[in-house]
Amino acid sequence: MAQLKVDAEPAEVGFDPQRLARIDEHFARYVDDGRLAGWTVAVARRDRVVHLTHHGLADVEAARPVGDDTLWRIYSMTKPITSVAALMLLERGLLALTDPVSLYLPAFADLRVYRGGAAANPGTEPATEPVRIWHLLTHTAGLTYGFHHAHPVDEMYRSRGFEFGVPAGMDLAAACNAWAAIPLVHQPGAEWNYSVATDVLGRVVEVVSGRPLDAFLDEEVLRPLDMTDTGFGAADPDRLAALYVPKPGGGLHRHDRMGDAALRDPTFLSGGGGLVSSAADYHAFTRMLARGGELDGVRLLSPRTVAYATRNHLPGGADLQEFGRPIFAESAFQGVGFGLGFSVVVDAAAGKSLTSAGEYAWGGLASTAFYVDPTEEITAMFLTQLMPSSTHPIRPQLRTLVTSALVD
């Protein structure tokens, strides 16, 4: 099991301890005034953990505090893990970024693209080029999410049972076939639209590797990194944090209807949002990335591959503001591009974010987040269980608090 503990004094790695303490003071107020139940925050620099704090309750009703062993639904923080799995297959020569997805998933041949009209009777046109592997990694495939409520195609997803999840009993292969039968929001490669693309990528990993996604991730990514607390569902109920949503007027409402899915073995293996993890486990994953694909003698990726994946891949160096649709995603849009599975800061000034160009990151539906700042050699992570993640500006606040504590 991965272990997480402080192993450096702040001054040893260039932090002012009093400024670093502002992180806890600030986010403690979220718990004290009822906006969050509890949280874990971890900050490391130069591969040494300098700040680790738990605060509040993992389960308010059971009065169970957040601790080292708390398990969290990481939702879309699953996406970078699935993306790493695909990049590992790329390095082995088993797939290429330019491969049509239909080479592995035949349902993705002869796709149609929405042109106009109501969701019940849309006008469509043929896709002008195939959806390719790089489109899945960059969310430029033209797929979508039902929960966006921003486009008639989103409504088509919802009408078929795809909003937060898939219809009961449906597996990943069947979901991908169903998505391929729905028109794309836009032509492949023409725009950025946050979507089920990483779930489709997970199915590609299954077909290429000949293994179910949970088996491939466990054998090739999670166990090699000693991430033994991370997996798809069947989480220990005595360790799993409860899932909450805000109450109108203040306070929290427990959302067991959605949260209890993490207690069961899923039929649908969601490479886009299905994993449960711990702070120690996800820190091991971010360490691997920050160290150029290697952790404690185990190498998953080449440093060149990590560097390539964490640069902006949007055409012409565009940011999400220019190239993305105005929808919710787990990132700011201004000054932020997108790589192969990660958001990438291209212009920190444009994004009004106190961070460095080249910072890469992602987050999850329940307000979890991580980022890696290669310039400052920082990794930081915030774990809680409040959905939706757009409720509070936790991510930019975390960046500001961490970066402003640097004094070297």
Side-chain angles (χ1 to χ4, degrees):
M1 180 188 301
Q3 298 294 315
L4 186 56
K5 60 183 180 180
V6 173
D7 57 9
E9 293 296 323
E12 293 181 74
V13 289
F15 280 107
D16 179 317
Q18 292 180 318
R19 285 174 165 264
L20 208 54
R22 292 174 178 173
I23 298 171
D24 299 344
E25 295 165 7
H26 177 77
F27 288 116
R29 291 193 285 270
Y30 275 84
V31 174
D32 296 344
D33 64 17
R35 285 176 288 170
L36 295 177
W39 47 260
T40 289
V41 65
V43 181
R45 192 179 196 206
R46 298 170 188 154
D47 204 29
R48 301 180 70 187
V49 179
V50 70
H51 190 82
L52 171 64
T53 313
H54 313 298
H55 189 79
L57 299 175
D59 187 317
V60 173
E61 291 72 20
R64 173 161 48 89
V66 176
D68 290 340
D69 67 344
T70 299
L71 298 176
W72 311 88
R73 300 162 194 80
I74 60 171
Y75 288 121
S76 286
M77 279 168 55
T78 304
K79 288 179 170 71
I81 295 176
T82 302
S83 299
V84 163
L87 292 169
M88 292 169 70
L89 296 174
L90 171 74
E91 287 194 332
R92 297 172 192 179
L94 298 176
L95 57 79
L97 294 178
T98 54
D99 283 345
V101 173
S102 60
L103 187 63
Y104 310 104
L105 310 182
F108 277 77
D110 303 318
L111 296 175
R112 304 291 296 183
V113 180
Y114 175 87
R115 283 197 63 188
N121 187 29
T124 66
E125 63 185 7
T128 54
E129 72 161 300
V131 169
R132 303 181 188 276
I133 299 299
W134 77 267
H135 293 137
L136 299 180
L137 283 159
T138 57
H139 290 280
T140 58
L143 299 163
T144 194
Y145 271 125
F147 63 72
H148 285 325
H149 293 260
H151 191 279
V153 175
D154 306 343
E155 184 180 342
M156 294 180 217
Y157 275 57
R158 293 193 301 277
S159 70
R160 291 159 175 81
F162 301 106
E163 187 167 8
F164 292 104
V166 303
M170 181 175 280
D171 65 11
L172 178 57
C176 289
N177 288 340
W179 293 326
I182 302 172
L184 300 176
V185 173
H186 56 73
Q187 289 287 348
E191 300 180 47
W192 188 91
N193 193 67
Y194 192 40
S195 73
V196 298
T198 316
D199 290 297
V200 177
L201 187 68
R203 178 59 184 155
V204 172
V205 169
E206 290 190 327
V207 172
V208 172
S209 70
R211 284 175 274 177
L213 182 61
D214 55 353
F216 184 88
L217 292 183
D218 187 57
E219 294 163 10
E220 301 278 359
V221 179
L222 303 177
R223 273 193 284 166
L225 297 181
D226 202 21
M227 295 173 64
T228 55
D229 280 333
T230 304
F232 289 102
D236 182 345
D238 295 325
R239 296 177 58 193
L240 182 67
L243 182 64
Y244 296 94
V245 294
K247 282 183 182 176
L252 300 172
H253 174 73
R254 189 183 179 106
H255 193 9
D256 285 339
R257 184 175 59 84
M258 185 165 173
D260 282 356
L263 299 173
R264 302 184 293 270
D265 284 320
T267 303
F268 173 68
L269 298 175
S270 174
L275 289 177
V276 170
S277 191
S278 65
D281 273 18
Y282 212 87
H283 176 67
F285 181 71
T286 61
R287 281 187 69 209
M288 178 275 296
L289 293 170
R291 290 164 58 99
E294 176 273 337
L295 181 65
D296 299 333
V298 174
R299 179 165 294 284
L300 300 190
L301 294 171
S302 158
R304 281 22 173 224
T305 303
V306 174
Y308 183 75
T310 56
R311 60 180 289 186
N312 185 20
H313 283 253
L314 298 184
D319 67 5
L320 295 175
Q321 186 75 19
E322 299 171 88
F323 201 71
R325 288 181 169 257
I327 54 168
F328 168 74
E330 303 293 343
S331 173
F333 275 32
Q334 195 84 31
V336 178
F338 207 83
L340 302 180
F342 309 86
S343 63
V344 183
V345 173
V346 292
D347 187 338
K352 304 297 182 286
S353 180
L354 192 57
T355 189
S356 307
E359 176 232 277
Y360 55 94
W362 206 239
L365 178 66
S367 303
T368 60
F370 84 95
Y371 73 91
V372 179
D373 182 339
T375 300
E376 298 292 355
E377 301 175 90
I378 286 173
T379 65
M381 174 175 58
F382 189 93
L383 299 173
T384 191
Q385 297 284 260
L386 179 78
M387 61 175 287
S389 57
S390 56
T391 307
H392 304 300
I394 290 170
R395 295 163 190 176
Q397 290 174 354
L398 178 66
R399 285 170 171 83
T400 296
L401 289 160
V402 172
T403 303
S404 63
L406 282 171
V407 291
D408 75 349

